[in-house]
């Protein structure tokens, strides 16, 4: 069990969720996310709108997104509306 889990992802889409390329990696990441009190996703802005074959979890399952300043404002607003804390560095 984890207090906080940090996940690096290959795809991040508001409708499709957070995704990666490998099914096995997604299964491990999902298990870690389900056993954590807080899920933090680390993804640069180039991952936004990308959908990869293996779903980790829906965006509603994450608590924090750490990204760069290239994140579109409309995406940031949508995430904040879903209750996701957005940190741009």
């Amino acid at each position: 069990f984890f207090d906080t889990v940090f996940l690096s992802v290959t795809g991040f889409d508001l409708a499709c969720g957070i995704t990666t390329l490998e099914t096995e990696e997604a299964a491990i990441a999902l298990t870690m996310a389900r056993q954590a009190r807080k899920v933090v996703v680390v993804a640069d802005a180039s991952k936004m709108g990308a959908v990869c074959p293996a779903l980790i979890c829906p965006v509603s399952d994450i608590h924090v997104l750490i990204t760069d300043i290239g994140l579109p404002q409309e995406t940031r607003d949508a995430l904040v509306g879903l209750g996701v804390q957005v940190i741009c560095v």
Side-chain angles (χ1 to χ4, degrees), residues 12-31:
F12 191 111
D13 185 80
L14 291 172
C16 296
I18 58 173
T19 57
T20 191
L21 296 172
E22 302 293 330
T23 304
E24 296 84 6
E25 180 183 345
I28 292 168
L30 174 59
T31 299

Side-chain angles (χ1 to χ4, degrees), residues 8-64:
S8 175
V9 301
T10 313
F12 191 111
D13 185 80
L14 291 172
C16 296
I18 58 173
T19 57
T20 191
L21 296 172
E22 302 293 330
T23 304
E24 296 84 6
E25 180 183 345
I28 292 168
L30 174 59
T31 299
M32 291 171 35
R34 285 184 175 163
Q35 294 180 351
R37 290 184 186 164
K38 184 183 233 181
V39 178
V40 179
V41 171
V42 181
D44 64 76
S46 71
K47 306 296 191 286
M48 300 303 136
V51 178
C52 297
L55 174 66
I56 297 172
C57 66
V59 173
S60 59
D61 286 358
I62 71 169
H63 301 98
V64 180

Side-chain angles (χ1 to χ4, degrees), residues 55-85:
L55 174 66
I56 297 172
C57 66
V59 173
S60 59
D61 286 358
I62 71 169
H63 301 98
V64 180
L65 169 66
I66 299 174
T67 190
D68 59 76
I69 59 172
L71 181 71
Q73 186 63 44
E74 59 272 7
T75 302
R76 181 184 184 123
D77 293 344
L79 288 167
V80 170
L82 292 171
V84 177
Q85 179 186 2

